[in-house]
């Protein structure tokens, strides 16, 4: 948990207290107020601007309950909880309970289900009954506040016996923090295509490719990408982040303690605004037991790709008296988040070097696979590269040579934050393909195909209709859309109460999108027949299709959006309306 600079305590004292809070995982640093511990059915949370310290660097933030991340809320399935949220900001705010099955007006998304943002100085009372168990989180759904620190974990213990045994239980909240004002970040993204892409291919990269593939093949590859006006290095819209674990930077090093031989449950939550991570613990295999709060048949993996908004619960069992590093690498390898599992405080393990950053492949653009009509992508307008960096004075700039590619320097650089240089591939060429994490030989990276629900799906009906959702955008103007329409410009999705539908995502962009539907779980179609994993966020890789099944049994007007915050803010959202039940339909969909 991040330290808060308060006039009542010194920074050193704040760091000491924050250290205690981080180890406990559930205690809020909020001088003069109560701590928010487990089993509370009623609590008060204030939203207010704060200064925080990350790796000795101060910056602005917005805290819930006095800390970043916000206090971990520990509840029990079946409880009714009451949370009074007071807004001490000069602007409206809100709190969305991500993944919880609750009444629409309590969901916390302004403009949906009759919920209105909490105005400055006002207090809003949330009240709902917990209908599920698992790992979830909460965050602002107003403006760009989530990027500034408005997020925290929710742990709901099951009403009955826990199906998994463990000795210790830690929350691991990953996030990305910028010293820039998020409005400035969004303005930069809209002002110049690839504003934060410091890792573009250089002339040296071309010669390496020519040496490996031959001159003609290398030239053909460059010309093809040029014709599309796209850049295969466009993996992340924003870089220069400090990557945090429980509010701590790599130097601050959040640490969880263990006794050798203990079974440790790690509840990973990706609360980032924009960052996918490849998560691993070198020398310590993980057993994945839950995805998005829902138990799955345990599956072993050495690492997993972690989309924004997703959660994974894993069990690890360190048997030796040594420290282990929890390592989370963003896709563009512009830095890392790290934490430590150790038998004693102060111990550290080696921080592994960053693995090579992949570049996109033609297959990520779906070339030749489904006959995608690139004309619909408005390349002429989107102009991946067509905007003419040369015209803007960047055409001859070698960003790699300037050191931006590995250090996160340049626009919005975070001086003082640990940045490790990626290790080049042995042949000097980067891995090709969005899904290439650089998994070590003999190790396994979790894939969606590995997920199998612990219990059979409740509804075995075939879908009555298919809803096509095209993920679209215009990169040059940084406009992100669904089916070519910005939020509130297109028709909402409407389904009848109890209706069984298939949602088919077709990603027509070169970015991956973590798609989030509020209010309901979807069943991911991953090859399982009656144990499809339940998800509230589904990653749709670039140029690929993903489908899910849904039983629309939660009436309301739900947000349906990409969970990359700047994509959502730029239009990639719509309404998903489940019509109110009628007498005839009230029994449908309930198995």
């Amino acid at each position: 948990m991040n330290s808060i600079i308060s006039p009542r305590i010194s920074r050193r004292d704040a760091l000491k207290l924050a250290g205690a809070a981080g180890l406990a995982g559930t205690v809020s640093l909020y001088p003069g107020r109560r701590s928010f511990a487990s089993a509370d059915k009623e609590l008060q949370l204030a939203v207010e601007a704060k200064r925080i310290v990350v790796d000795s660097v101060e910056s602005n933030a917005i805290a819930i309950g006095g800390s970043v991340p916000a206090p971990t809320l520990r509840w029990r399935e079946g409880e009714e909880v009451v949370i009074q949220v007071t807004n001490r900001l000069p602007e409206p705010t809100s709190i969305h309970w991500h993944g919880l099955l609750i009444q629409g007006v309590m969901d916390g998304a302004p403009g949906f289900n009759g919920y209105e943002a909490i105005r400055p100085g006002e207090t809003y009372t949330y009240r709902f009954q917990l209908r599920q168990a698992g790992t979830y989180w909460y965050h602002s759904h107003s403006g760009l506040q989530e990027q500034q620190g408005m997020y925290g974990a929710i742990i709901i213990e099951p009403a009955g016996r826990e199906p998994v045994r463990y000795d210790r239980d830690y929350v691991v909240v990953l996030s990305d923090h910028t010293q820039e004002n998020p409005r400035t970040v969004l303005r930069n993204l809209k002002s110049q295509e690839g504003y934060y892409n410091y890792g573009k291919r250089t002339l040296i990269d071309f010669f390496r490719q020519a040496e490996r593939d031959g001159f003609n093949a290398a030239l053909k590859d460059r010309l093809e990408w040029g014709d599309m006006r796209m850049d295969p290095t466009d993996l992340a819209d924003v870089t220069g982040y400090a990557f945090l674990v429980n509010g701590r930077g790599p130097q601050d090093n959040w640490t969880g303690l263990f006794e050798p031989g203990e079974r440790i449950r790690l509840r990973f939550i990706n609360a980032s605004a924009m960052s996918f991570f490849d998560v691993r613990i070198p020398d310590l295999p993980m057993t994945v037991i839950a995805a998005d709060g829902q138990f799955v048949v345990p599956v072993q993996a050495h690492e997993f790709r972690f989309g924004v908004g997703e959660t994974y619960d894993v069990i690890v069992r360190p048997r030796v008296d040594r420290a282990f590093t929890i390592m989370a690498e963003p896709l563009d390898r512009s830095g890392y988040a790290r934490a430590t599992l150790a038998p004693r405080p102060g111990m550290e393990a080696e921080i592994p070097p960053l693995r090579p950053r992949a570049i996109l492949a033609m297959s990520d653009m779906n070339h030749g696979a489904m006959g995608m009509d690139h004309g619909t992508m408005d390349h002429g307008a989107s102009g991946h590269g067509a905007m003419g960096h040369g015209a803007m004075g960047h055409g001859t700039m070698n960003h790699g040579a300037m050191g931006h590619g590995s250090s996160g320097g340049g626009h919005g650089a975070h001086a003082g934050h640990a940045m490790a240089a990626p290790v080049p591939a042995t042949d000097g060429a980067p891995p090709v393909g969005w899904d290439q994490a650089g998994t070590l030989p003999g190790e396994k990276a979790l894939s969606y195909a590995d997920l199998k629900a612990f219990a059979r799906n409740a509804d075995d009906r075939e879908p009555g209709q298919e809803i096509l959702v095209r993920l679209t955008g215009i990169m040059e103007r940084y406009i992100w859309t669904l089916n070519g329409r910005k939020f509130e410009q297109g028709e909402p999705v409407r389904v009848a109460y109890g209706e069984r539908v298939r949602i088919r995502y077709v990603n027509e962009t070169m970015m991956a999108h973590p798609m989030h539907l509020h209010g309901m779980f979807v069943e991911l179609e991953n090859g399982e027949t009656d144990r499809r994993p339940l998800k509230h966020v589904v990653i749709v890789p670039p140029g690929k299709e993903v489908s899910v099944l849904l039983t629309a049994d939660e009436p309301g007007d739900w947000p349906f959006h990409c969970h990359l915050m700047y994509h959502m803010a730029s239009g990639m959202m719509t309404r998903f309306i489940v019509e109110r039940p009628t007498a005839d339909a009230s029994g449908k969909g309930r198995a």
Side-chain angles (χ1 to χ4, degrees), residues 376-545:
T376 64
M377 297 179 67
D378 195 8
H379 294 306
S382 64
H384 294 271
M387 192 170 177
H389 292 285
M392 300 189 68
H394 294 284
T396 57
M397 291 173 66
N398 183 340
H399 290 277
M402 293 171 67
H404 297 313
S406 60
S407 68
H411 307 299
H414 288 190
H417 294 310
M419 298 289 181
V423 174
T426 53
D427 63 354
V432 178
W434 180 86
D435 58 352
Q436 296 300 304
T439 305
L440 296 176
E443 296 197 343
K444 175 177 174 52
L446 183 77
S447 76
Y448 273 176
D450 298 319
L451 299 177
K452 182 177 183 178
F454 199 72
R456 292 182 185 277
N457 299 128
D459 192 344
D460 60 0
R461 292 178 298 161
E462 291 296 319
Q465 70 159 317
E466 179 174 283
I467 298 168
L468 174 64
V469 179
R470 294 167 44 239
L471 312 183
T472 47
I474 303 173
M475 188 65 181
E476 182 188 41
R477 296 159 56 194
Y478 207 76
I479 295 174
W480 295 97
T481 53
L482 296 176
N483 292 330
R485 300 287 186 178
K486 293 176 64 176
F487 180 52
E488 300 291 36
Q489 291 183 350
E491 290 295 319
V493 179
R494 290 183 182 275
V495 298
Y497 174 78
E499 188 176 1
R500 182 78 163 162
V501 300
R502 171 178 286 115
I503 302 172
R504 183 163 65 93
Y505 300 103
V506 178
N507 189 350
E508 298 183 359
T509 78
M510 61 189 301
M511 304 291 294
H513 300 284
M515 295 302 298
H516 177 43
L517 174 62
H518 289 222
M520 292 165 281
F521 284 98
V522 297
E523 302 165 23
L524 176 65
E525 292 196 290
N526 66 341
E528 292 294 331
T529 55
D530 59 356
R531 292 177 184 263
R532 290 175 289 271
L534 304 182
K535 299 278 291 174
H536 50 58
V537 171
V538 174
I539 299 174
V540 186
K544 300 295 190 297
E545 291 189 21

Side-chain angles (χ1 to χ4, degrees), residues 169-318:
D169 184 356
Y170 291 114
V171 169
V172 183
V173 178
L174 300 178
S175 60
D176 48 21
H177 177 72
T178 175
Q179 294 180 56
E180 287 185 286
N181 186 309
R183 294 187 181 90
T184 301
V185 174
L186 183 57
R187 186 165 57 248
N188 291 338
L189 290 169
K190 287 184 173 294
S191 69
Q192 178 185 328
E193 180 189 357
Y195 183 91
Y196 291 98
N197 183 3
Y198 307 129
K200 294 181 180 179
R201 294 194 292 185
T202 66
L203 189 60
I204 294 175
D205 295 325
F206 173 79
F207 286 129
R208 284 175 176 163
Q209 185 180 3
E211 183 176 359
R212 185 193 64 220
D213 303 333
F215 181 85
N216 289 337
L219 181 61
K220 179 174 181 291
D221 176 71
R222 296 298 174 106
L223 291 175
E224 286 179 346
W225 282 101
D227 286 344
M228 294 188 298
R229 297 177 177 177
M230 294 182 179
D231 191 327
T233 65
D234 197 0
L235 292 169
D237 288 353
V238 183
T239 193
Y241 278 126
F243 299 105
L244 313 183
V245 176
N246 293 338
R248 304 287 195 86
Q251 296 174 21
D252 293 337
N253 187 26
W254 178 89
T255 299
L257 299 180
F258 68 86
E259 294 287 341
E262 286 185 330
R263 292 168 59 86
I264 306 170
R265 181 173 184 169
L266 300 174
R267 301 174 184 265
F268 286 95
I269 299 169
N270 189 348
S272 298
M274 293 295 288
S275 300
F276 289 73
F277 292 99
D278 291 319
V279 179
R280 60 190 172 122
I281 309 175
D283 301 327
L284 195 58
M286 299 177 280
T287 300
V288 178
I289 60 169
D292 287 2
Q294 301 295 297
F295 281 113
V296 296
V297 175
V299 55
Q300 289 198 332
H302 294 87
E303 66 176 288
F304 58 88
R305 178 152 291 184
F306 205 13
V308 175
E310 292 186 305
T311 74
Y312 280 110
D313 289 28
V314 308
I315 298 289
V316 295
R317 192 174 189 182

Side-chain angles (χ1 to χ4, degrees), residues 117-130:
I118 310 170
R119 289 176 291 189
E122 291 189 343
T123 296
Y124 186 86
T125 300
Y126 296 88
R127 180 189 297 268
F128 46 84
Q129 189 161 19
L130 301 169

Side-chain angles (χ1 to χ4, degrees), residues 141-175:
H141 218 285
S142 293
L144 305 174
Q145 295 170 352
E146 181 191 330
Q147 172 76 96
Q148 294 176 281
M150 282 191 65
Y151 49 81
I154 298 173
I155 307 302
I156 306 177
E157 305 292 346
R161 189 170 67 90
E162 186 80 71
V164 177
R165 183 177 65 82
Y166 50 89
D167 303 297
R168 297 186 190 240
D169 184 356
Y170 291 114
V171 169
V172 183
V173 178
L174 300 178
S175 60

